[in-house]
Amino acid sequence: MATASVAFKSREDHRKQIELEEARKAGLAPAEVDEDGKEINPHIPQYMSSAPWYLNAERPSLKHQRKWKSDPNYTKSWYDRGAKTFQAEKYRKGACENCGAMTHTTKTCMERPRKIGAKWTNKHIAPDEKIETFELDYDGKRDRWNGYDASTYARVIERYEARDEARKKYLKEQQLKKLEKSNENGEDAVSDEDEEEDDLRVDEAKVDESKQMDFAKVEKRVRTTGGGSTGTVRNLRIREDTAKYLLNLDVNSAHYDPKTRSMREDPLPDADPNEKFYEGDNQYRNSGQALEFKELNIHAWEAFDKGQDVHMQAAPSQAELLYKNFKIMKEKLKSQTKDTILEKYGNASAEDELPRELLLGQSERQVEYDRAGRIIKGQEAALPKSKYEEDIYINNHTTVWGSWWKDHQWGYKCCKQTIRNSYCTGAAGIEAAEASSDLMKANIARKEAAEEDHKPVEEKNLATWGTDVPDDLVLDEKMLAEALKKEDQRKREEKDERKRKYNVRWNDEVTAEDMEAYRMKKIHHDDPMKSFMH
């Protein structure tokens, strides 16, 4: 707070001063005014607002924070454009050879190059330009509008006003022409003229659009105290609308965030949807262009994860173009798959037209019910049970296929047959089937009884080499003795590998005596006398 002096203050005065400063900061008390009549911002710290003691400030001021020592050499003026100083009649030595002016050389001349310069023709000598040299101050160097002539903008306004006047004049001429044509043609073309007049009214509305845009103009301060200015701010919210946090005053209703001014859930979920104008912020997030933008972002993320160089923030146009191409390719693939399926299996929906009741799902039929659900008046529409044909009997059957089930087989209930394309035999067929089944059971029981009373089979003697021993088998004693000797020799060769010859000849012809000798010489591991055999 800017104070005039640092005089001693009592405790009560100091308390009042603090309360006044707090009231000024809260906007309850008017802001303090400096020497020039400007308001001082109460939020400025004291070390900035209090003036040094050597300045002897009598009233609160912020002059000590401004540049109060100005340099007289600096200026904010600008060049005088197009000003001329002297018009010569003859060419002067050292002047421009092209135009004859003394203020520039031939190289820096801005006039169109003449075929013969003023130096040689001595005619049409250009006047000398006004040359100004001055030093700009800090603000003058950085002022982008320094030297701008505000009167030049009047030409822009005049051009736009002339265009609007010409538009209004053209519209009036068109209306007069339409009226003349209507008087000539009579009442036959009234409807066409009404449409054209509506178009003209729309054009007139466009002309007066600037006047109609100030429907909700509100005058309010744009900046804070001390250096602020008033301006026109357009209020986009209609004041008759109820704020979203006042729709439902229940504490347990939808949460309202005052910082972001958002209420995601529906404040009135049980109200009639036709009467609600606000259903929560999530409704706008999950519908319209917000949903399309969300899908575009998700597609960009997935494409980036799969290796595509796509970034929604860096190149939004590229991401949107890729998403459009993706949707086109997806639709093409879907239609191609659909065409292949229709080509393979056909399109049953396109062959026969469905009835009107199935297409629309409604009719003019009126049906009244009581509390128990019984029909009082009218007839209830019969709902289709299935898309397949029902209650169609073939081959003289009185029931459909699948009406009978036995032993894991479907059949017809009328004749109890399990063959799909069989002809119905009725009750006689059922009796014949039962008789045949009884006969089959009796035959099976008779066969089982015969198997139980069968004669014992004589056991066949097995030969030593595992085949049936023929009844007329006779062994030769001499050949059996030779076979025993050969078997002993073979066993000795197996025990001593040194007695085995290099060229061994094998005889694949095995006789009954050889097999008998092998059996007799074979060692049985279960025989308790095997250790005494050799």
Side-chain angles (χ1 to χ4, degrees):
M1 182 63 205
T3 55
S5 61
V6 198
F8 176 76
K9 292 182 180 180
S10 63
R11 182 177 297 178
E12 187 67 20
D13 295 339
H14 185 68
R15 186 181 60 80
K16 290 181 180 180
Q17 183 69 23
I18 292 175
E19 290 178 356
L20 180 60
E21 291 178 359
E22 290 178 355
R24 286 172 177 171
K25 290 179 181 179
L28 302 176
E32 197 172 6
V33 182
D34 61 358
E35 296 177 353
D36 299 333
K38 296 180 180 179
E39 294 180 349
I40 299 176
N41 193 339
H43 298 283
I44 295 177
Q46 186 178 5
Y47 72 91
M48 294 177 62
S49 59
S50 58
W53 60 271
Y54 52 83
L55 291 180
N56 297 324
E58 297 180 356
R59 295 188 60 187
S61 175
L62 292 175
K63 278 188 175 181
H64 60 279
Q65 293 290 347
R66 302 188 184 96
K67 186 179 179 182
W68 50 281
K69 288 185 178 181
S70 60
D71 194 344
N73 296 327
Y74 290 126
T75 180
K76 290 185 179 180
S77 59
W78 197 248
Y79 301 99
D80 190 4
R81 295 179 179 177
K84 308 297 181 182
T85 56
F86 177 71
Q87 176 70 49
E89 297 180 356
K90 294 182 179 180
Y91 179 78
R92 294 160 293 177
K93 186 177 180 181
C96 176
E97 297 179 358
N98 184 42
C99 63
M102 288 289 294
T103 52
H104 61 268
T105 61
T106 308
K107 189 175 182 180
T108 58
C109 183
M110 300 298 294
E111 191 178 334
R112 179 181 61 83
R114 301 181 184 181
K115 187 175 183 180
I116 300 175
K119 179 180 179 181
W120 295 277
T121 59
N122 210 9
K123 295 179 181 179
H124 305 292
I125 305 297
D128 299 341
E129 294 92 352
K130 183 179 179 181
I131 304 298
E132 295 178 294
T133 56
F134 47 83
E135 190 174 359
L136 297 174
D137 58 353
Y138 183 87
D139 295 333
K141 289 178 181 179
R142 289 157 181 80
D143 188 5
R144 60 183 299 186
W145 298 103
N146 195 358
Y148 175 74
D149 187 6
S151 61
T152 57
Y153 191 72
R155 288 178 285 179
V156 179
I157 298 174
E158 291 175 0
R159 184 169 68 250
Y160 277 92
E161 289 178 351
R163 187 193 66 177
D164 293 340
E165 290 294 332
R167 184 181 180 85
K168 291 179 181 178
K169 185 177 180 182
Y170 173 75
L171 291 175
K172 289 181 180 179
E173 292 177 356
Q174 293 294 325
Q175 288 179 350
L176 291 174
K177 289 181 181 179
K178 299 302 177 185
L179 290 173
E180 293 176 0
K181 288 183 180 180
S182 63
N183 294 330
E184 293 175 1
N185 299 333
E187 298 179 354
D188 296 335
V190 175
S191 61
D192 297 338
E193 292 173 4
D194 293 339
E195 294 179 358
E196 293 175 357
E197 286 179 2
D198 292 339
D199 297 338
L200 294 175
R201 289 169 187 165
V202 171
D203 293 337
E204 290 179 355
K206 290 180 180 178
V207 173
D208 299 335
E209 188 178 7
S210 59
K211 299 178 181 178
Q212 298 175 3
M213 286 301 291
D214 296 332
F215 64 93
K217 189 189 299 183
V218 178
E219 296 286 343
K220 61 180 291 188
R221 296 193 65 84
V222 178
R223 305 242 180 120
T224 55
T225 314
S229 60
T230 57
T232 303
V233 178
R234 183 172 290 110
N235 185 15
L236 299 179
R237 186 174 71 85
I238 302 174
R239 291 296 177 179
E240 285 79 7
D241 293 344
T242 308
K244 61 178 75 172
Y245 52 84
L246 296 177
L247 294 174
N248 191 351
L249 300 179
D250 187 6
V251 180
N252 299 323
S253 63
H255 174 69
Y256 175 74
D257 187 9
K259 186 174 182 180
T260 58
R261 298 179 182 178
S262 62
M263 182 181 286
R264 293 180 175 85
E265 299 178 1
D266 189 0
L268 299 171
D270 300 330
D272 186 6
N274 297 325
E275 297 179 357
K276 289 192 295 186
F277 68 93
Y278 179 75
E279 297 180 2
D281 296 341
N282 288 337
Q283 179 197 9
Y284 306 114
R285 295 182 180 180
N286 299 326
S287 62
Q289 295 183 349
L291 187 60
E292 297 177 1
F293 184 72
K294 183 179 179 181
E295 293 176 353
L296 178 60
N297 275 325
I298 293 173
H299 175 265
W301 297 337
E302 292 177 351
F304 182 77
D305 292 339
K306 293 178 181 179
Q308 292 283 346
D309 189 11
V310 183
H311 197 280
M312 188 59 197
Q313 281 71 34
S317 302
Q318 180 189 6
E320 187 174 0
L321 183 61
L322 286 175
Y323 184 55
K324 287 183 179 178
N325 295 335
F326 168 74
K327 289 197 292 186
I328 293 171
M329 295 298 293
K330 186 177 180 180
E331 290 295 330
K332 284 184 179 178
L333 182 61
K334 190 184 294 183
S335 61
Q336 185 178 0
T337 307
K338 182 179 179 181
D339 294 340
T340 53
I341 293 173
L342 292 177
E343 184 179 356
K344 185 175 182 179
Y345 299 103
N347 188 3
S349 61
E351 294 175 358
D352 300 331
E353 293 184 359
L354 294 175
R356 187 179 181 84
E357 290 78 11
L358 292 179
L359 289 175
L360 302 179
Q362 59 185 0
S363 63
E364 299 296 333
R365 189 183 296 108
Q366 183 178 1
V367 184
E368 294 183 7
Y369 300 88
D370 59 359
R371 292 186 178 182
R374 294 184 293 268
I375 299 176
I376 300 174
K377 182 181 179 182
Q379 184 178 2
E380 189 175 5
L383 297 176
K385 298 180 181 178
S386 173
K387 66 178 181 179
Y388 301 103
E389 296 178 349
E390 296 183 2
D391 300 334
I392 295 177
Y393 309 113
I394 60 174
N395 296 336
N396 203 27
H397 288 285
T398 56
T399 57
V400 296
W401 168 259
S403 59
W404 188 62
W405 168 265
K406 186 178 181 182
D407 297 336
H408 303 283
Q409 286 184 337
W410 292 105
Y412 295 97
K413 189 177 181 180
C414 57
C415 58
K416 295 185 180 180
Q417 295 194 53
T418 57
I419 300 174
R420 179 72 179 271
N421 295 325
S422 63
Y423 193 82
C424 183
T425 56
I430 296 174
E431 293 176 358
E434 290 177 354
S436 64
S437 63
D438 294 340
L439 181 61
M440 186 182 296
K441 290 178 181 179
N443 292 334
I444 292 172
R446 191 183 303 110
K447 185 177 180 181
E448 290 178 353
E451 289 179 354
E452 291 177 357
D453 299 336
H454 68 283
K455 296 181 180 180
V457 181
E458 297 180 357
E459 295 183 359
K460 295 182 179 180
N461 294 326
L462 295 178
T464 55
W465 55 89
T467 57
D468 295 339
V469 180
D471 297 335
D472 56 349
L473 179 61
V474 178
L475 297 176
D476 191 356
E477 296 294 337
K478 292 182 180 181
M479 294 179 67
L480 182 58
E482 292 178 0
L484 290 171
K485 290 180 182 180
K486 288 180 181 179
E487 186 68 19
D488 293 338
Q489 186 179 358
R490 186 182 67 81
K491 285 185 175 292
R492 284 196 298 269
E493 288 179 357
E494 286 182 358
K495 289 181 180 180
D496 192 0
E497 291 289 337
R498 291 176 296 178
K499 294 181 179 181
R500 188 174 181 179
K501 299 179 181 180
Y502 289 102
N503 298 324
V504 181
R505 294 180 182 179
W506 296 93
N507 187 8
D508 296 336
E509 296 179 0
V510 181
T511 60
E513 288 78 6
D514 294 338
M515 289 301 299
E516 186 66 20
Y518 173 75
R519 184 191 64 80
M520 294 171 66
K521 294 293 182 180
K522 183 179 179 182
I523 298 174
H524 298 277
H525 297 282
D526 297 335
D527 191 0
M529 300 296 290
K530 63 179 181 179
S531 57
F532 301 100
M533 291 180 67
H534 300 287

